[in-house]
Amino acid sequence: MIFRQLFDSVSGTYTYLLASRRGGEALIIDPVLEKVDRYIQLVNELDLKLVKAVDTHLHADHVTGLGALRDRTRCITVMGERSKVDVVSMRLSESDKLTIEGVALDVLYTPGHTDDSYSFAMRDRVFTGDTLLIRGTGRTDFQNGDARAQYDSIFNKLLRLPDETMIFPAHDYKGETVSTIGEEKAFNPRLQVKSVDEYAELMSNLNLPNPKMMDVAVPANMRVGLPQDEIARRGWAVSAAQAMALIGGPDVTLVDLRERTEREKHGIIPGSLHALYPDLAAIVRPGGMLHELARATGKRIVFYCAVGERSAMAVQTAQDAGLASACHIQGGIDAWKNADGPLTR
Ligand SMILES: [Fe+2]
């Protein structure tokens, strides 16, 4: 496995790059906007392909690199389903898996620092965001933080992982880079409490100043969505209602770009093909399956995904590859559901 821990010294943020060779798919956790050039350089140096960029929660101390990474690499942006950000390409919930080729992370909903905090666990390590830090825990006094929820997330989820599990947090301000569950159980001063009440009391007496960047970072991080209007302005989008009139007709092929778990959870538009978003460039280029299908049949390709972000990027990729009829369902399966479009499982 390829694993890199990257540091932003301004905000004290750790960013993690993960990959497992073969096709070189890579995943980045908690990227910082100012460091995006560095991440892309490293991804190129290691001959990887960034396919997912994930935030553990809505950050208050730095502007996320999610939007910039998506714009520059067309990667999928991912957050938890409780996040209030306007648009990310994919949302995960407890017990889902966050996957790239050769890597699968278990999604744990670990609220407390914020109400949209998630942790991601794999065999030997867990990415704890700001829920559990090294010899500390994330503050719970803003962004719908809740010390009692955090106690539950830490004691009833994270500390139940095997003692040797390595902890990689989103921040450290003292230069610590890694710990383990066993070490934190024994030595984290915030965890030496006898009850949830004692923990809540301890957390309510920290009296921390607000992060310097908070007034800038929170509003910026709320709006990481890809503007889908530009795609619509070019005539490359259909509304859910328009798409409903098209399905079943002879001139259209619908292509679902979501992952298997999303399809199982939310249903599929009847009659649609399935193509994984990371494989898209290969299938829309001349000689690729969709390119040849469109050319041979004259059918219009209509992409869709969860909220319209992956499909909007897919339209751009397909148009760049010469598929002039490609369009997408604006707003994705969310909009389709709101328009009472039919779904199968
Ligand atoms: Fe945070």
Side-chain angles (χ1 to χ4, degrees):
M1 192 178 81
I2 295 164
F3 175 73
R4 291 287 186 280
Q5 182 177 34
L6 300 145
F7 186 57
D8 172 53
S9 56
V10 177
S11 59
T13 303
Y14 285 126
T15 300
Y16 301 96
L17 181 72
L18 285 150
S20 119
R21 233 351 336 144
R22 213 180 250 269
E25 288 193 356
L27 162 78
I28 197 163
I29 299 175
D30 287 331
V32 176
L33 178 64
E34 288 80 2
K35 291 283 189 276
V36 161
D37 283 344
R38 172 66 189 131
Y39 307 142
I40 290 178
Q41 183 191 2
L42 182 60
V43 163
N44 290 336
E45 286 166 349
L46 300 177
D47 192 26
L48 300 172
K49 179 185 168 207
L50 188 66
V51 298
K52 283 182 183 160
V54 188
D55 267 351
T56 51
H57 62 288
L58 184 81
H59 294 286
D61 59 344
H62 67 269
V63 178
T64 174
L66 252 54
L69 284 168
R70 175 205 55 225
D71 292 345
R72 292 180 53 184
T73 69
R74 295 191 187 168
C75 68
I76 300 171
T77 52
V78 185
M79 285 187 81
E81 69 174 359
R82 299 297 181 97
S83 173
K84 294 177 191 70
V85 301
D86 62 345
V87 181
V88 285
S89 308
M90 184 174 184
R91 289 181 187 271
L92 297 170
S93 51
E94 171 90 13
S95 76
D96 279 346
K97 296 239 188 242
L98 168 61
T99 58
I100 54 167
E101 182 191 19
V103 179
L105 298 155
D106 293 318
V107 179
L108 305 172
Y109 177 46
T110 50
H113 168 60
T114 64
D115 59 359
D116 72 340
S117 288
Y118 289 76
S119 299
F120 303 104
M122 56 192 289
R123 250 180 328 31
D124 62 345
R125 65 195 68 198
V126 57
F127 301 95
T128 53
D130 288 353
T131 302
L132 178 56
L133 305 174
I134 299 173
R135 307 298 190 265
T137 56
R139 61 193 297 174
T140 55
D141 56 338
F142 58 72
Q143 288 187 284
N144 300 319
D146 179 339
R148 290 169 183 276
Q150 190 175 52
Y151 178 92
D152 187 53
S153 297
I154 293 173
F155 282 86
N156 296 323
K157 284 189 185 165
L158 295 173
L159 296 189
R160 293 199 174 165
L161 295 169
D163 277 355
E164 59 277 15
T165 309
M166 287 183 282
I167 294 173
F168 288 101
H171 291 290
D172 193 86
Y173 308 99
K174 298 189 198 116
E176 304 282 352
T177 54
V178 60
S179 182
T180 65
I181 292 290
E183 224 179 290
E184 292 310 306
K185 265 185 199 165
F187 304 116
N188 188 322
R190 299 239 179 116
L191 305 187
Q192 313 310 313
V193 290
K194 291 188 184 60
S195 67
V196 60
D197 291 330
E198 196 183 331
Y199 185 73
E201 174 71 16
L202 189 160
M203 294 304 284
S204 68
N205 289 317
L206 296 177
N207 300 318
L208 300 167
N210 280 346
K212 291 191 278 299
M213 285 282 286
M214 187 167 166
D215 295 339
V216 177
V218 171
N221 290 341
M222 289 291 285
R223 291 188 306 270
V224 295
L226 174 84
Q228 294 177 27
D229 312 3
E230 181 53 31
I231 295 287
R233 205 158 31 238
R234 295 184 192 171
W236 297 344
V238 292
S239 68
Q242 287 169 320
M244 241 182 288
L246 291 174
I247 61 160
D251 308 325
V252 163
T253 298
L254 277 150
V255 181
D256 183 1
L257 296 169
R258 294 169 302 158
E259 297 184 2
R260 185 177 53 81
T261 49
E262 297 176 278
R263 287 159 57 84
E264 284 168 1
K265 205 186 220 176
H266 300 287
I268 301 162
I269 299 178
S272 47
L273 302 180
H274 181 216
L276 287 172
Y277 175 77
D279 300 335
L280 188 83
I283 59 174
V284 297
R285 73 166 71 104
M289 185 270 284
L290 273 186
H291 197 101
E292 297 312 310
L293 177 86
R295 201 154 60 183
T297 63
K299 286 189 181 192
R300 188 173 192 196
I301 305 289
V302 183
F303 294 110
Y304 71 94
C305 60
V307 289
E309 181 152 324
R310 272 169 280 182
S311 58
M313 294 191 288
V315 170
Q316 187 67 61
T317 304
Q319 292 282 346
D320 292 349
L323 269 182
S325 74
C327 66
H328 82 132
I329 301 178
Q330 189 151 5
I333 218 78
D334 265 11
W336 182 262
K337 277 185 184 166
N338 287 336
D340 291 322
L343 291 166
T344 55
R345 300 260 160 191

